[in-house]
Amino acid sequence: GWETKVAPPTHKRVAIVGAGPAGLTAAYYLAKLGHSVAVFEALPEPGGMMRVGIPEYRVPREVVRREIEEILKIGIEVKLNTHIGTDLAFAELRQGYEAIFLATGAHLTRPLNVEGVDLDGVFQGVYLLEDRAMGKIPDNLFAGKRVIVIGGGNVAIDAARTVLRLGAKGVELACLESREEMPAHPWEIQYAVEEGTVLNCSWGPKRILGEDKQVSGVEFIRCTSVFDKEGRFNPSYDETVKMSLEGNVVIIAIGQAPDTSFLEGASKIELTRGRTIKVDDTLKA
């Protein structure tokens, strides 16, 4: 175990919303300073995306569990299955603590607004990984299925590698970016390719195809550029260049967003255009 020096009690109470890496790190250092810390977590286990977002083949659960135990040893209170906004009002939380640290993470998926997203066989990548991590998905869920993953980031890559482990017959990944522009780590992309994922770069989804409410494939159009002259995400397409992939399953993994619904009506808390919480970069003590 770690030898940790803890300062004498300050009798100041801090509430932390979210028991992921950010929340637990803040809790650890605040507790070391002698503050009384309570962490509120919506999930039944601490760890956040480290626990439910990153698959076990990348971060072994036992390692995560041991690290968290060491952090909590110094006297941090964790309240699990507690969703701020439904189980406990944010206003109530404000009353009992000198400070509140919001570390809720980005657990919502960004929607893909194309025809066919409501068909049977369409999954959201981040929810699929979470369900798998929480033991809600059988080992043979995708047995014999042909899977199409839409997205070029680490969640898309994790989804591709996960469905292969759940019995998929084949996985095609399609993304707007060229291979060099893909936001996923190069080594993760390499592992996915070695395991059998086929990459289709510079393609944007036009519509998800289906028969009798069941997914049958995805139609794509050529993405000519992902970013505009200012370097902002602003894809351009050539709709005359098309491609279709066949599959029984489509997994959408085009990004995540934070759930800030619990802050509705909360004074003094502003949100950015991306729905993240606006913070002061130079906090004054």
Side-chain angles (χ1 to χ4, degrees):
W2 307 334
E3 288 304 316
T4 305
K5 285 183 180 173
V6 178
T10 62
H11 305 294
K12 287 185 176 171
R13 301 178 72 212
V14 180
I16 292 175
V17 184
L24 290 177
T25 302
Y28 178 73
Y29 287 104
L30 286 164
K32 274 185 68 160
L33 293 169
H35 304 313
S36 171
V37 182
V39 182
F40 298 85
E41 171 55 54
L43 293 169
E45 286 183 50
M49 278 297 185
M50 185 76 80
R51 168 71 183 84
V52 300
I54 303 177
E56 187 156 20
Y57 59 80
R58 280 180 64 194
V59 178
R61 300 279 172 256
E62 184 52 32
V63 173
V64 176
R65 193 187 60 76
R66 273 206 318 268
E67 294 269 318
I68 292 171
E69 268 182 16
E70 290 290 347
I71 289 171
L72 299 182
K73 255 185 201 170
I74 64 170
I76 296 161
E77 183 187 1
V78 180
K79 298 182 181 186
L80 299 169
N81 297 303
T82 306
H83 195 286
I84 303 301
T86 49
D87 299 317
L88 180 66
F90 184 62
E92 275 183 66
L93 195 63
R94 280 188 137 170
Q95 288 163 14
Y97 298 90
E98 268 86 356
I100 299 173
F101 179 62
L102 302 175
T104 50
H107 288 255
L108 297 184
T109 189
R110 288 199 187 279
L112 177 62
N113 298 316
V114 297
E115 181 191 326
V117 289
D118 299 327
L119 290 165
D120 291 340
V122 176
F123 292 80
Q124 303 295 337
V126 73
Y127 302 151
L128 176 76
L129 295 177
E130 188 169 305
D131 285 347
R132 177 59 179 164
M134 300 302 282
K136 296 178 184 173
I137 285 181
D139 291 348
N140 62 349
L141 181 68
F142 297 112
K145 303 277 189 189
R146 298 187 65 80
V147 180
I148 301 163
V149 177
I150 299 173
N154 281 330
V155 171
I157 295 291
D158 282 341
R161 297 180 67 194
T162 295
V163 296
L164 284 166
R165 286 161 172 76
L166 296 174
K169 185 163 66 176
V171 179
E172 299 259 5
L173 182 143
C175 60
L176 298 175
E177 299 87 359
S178 66
R179 172 83 187 249
E180 297 71 37
E181 290 172 324
M182 284 175 73
H185 297 312
W187 59 91
E188 294 290 339
I189 301 169
Q190 188 60 38
Y191 292 147
V193 170
E194 285 172 10
E195 288 172 4
T197 298
V198 178
L199 298 183
N200 302 273
C201 295
S202 303
W203 291 103
K206 177 74 175 168
R207 61 192 176 115
I208 298 173
L209 309 168
E211 291 167 26
D212 301 326
K213 296 186 180 176
Q214 178 64 44
V215 165
S216 63
V218 181
E219 184 184 298
F220 294 91
I221 51 174
R222 172 61 78 195
C223 179
T224 52
S225 70
V226 181
F227 307 100
D228 62 20
K229 289 191 182 83
E230 281 76 46
R232 288 181 302 234
F233 179 79
N234 189 12
S236 301
Y237 302 97
D238 180 350
E239 300 221 11
T240 64
V241 185
K242 295 180 180 177
M243 166 192 79
S244 289
L245 294 174
E246 287 180 26
N248 333 83
V249 173
V250 171
I251 297 170
I252 298 166
I254 57 168
Q256 291 143 259
D259 180 1
T260 50
S261 58
F262 69 96
L263 292 173
E264 276 165 25
S267 61
K268 294 186 185 169
I269 296 177
E270 291 179 57
L271 298 179
T272 65
R273 274 177 59 196
R275 303 287 299 164
T276 57
I277 297 163
K278 209 174 199 178
V279 294
D280 184 350
D281 289 343
T282 53
L283 272 177
K284 297 160 191 75

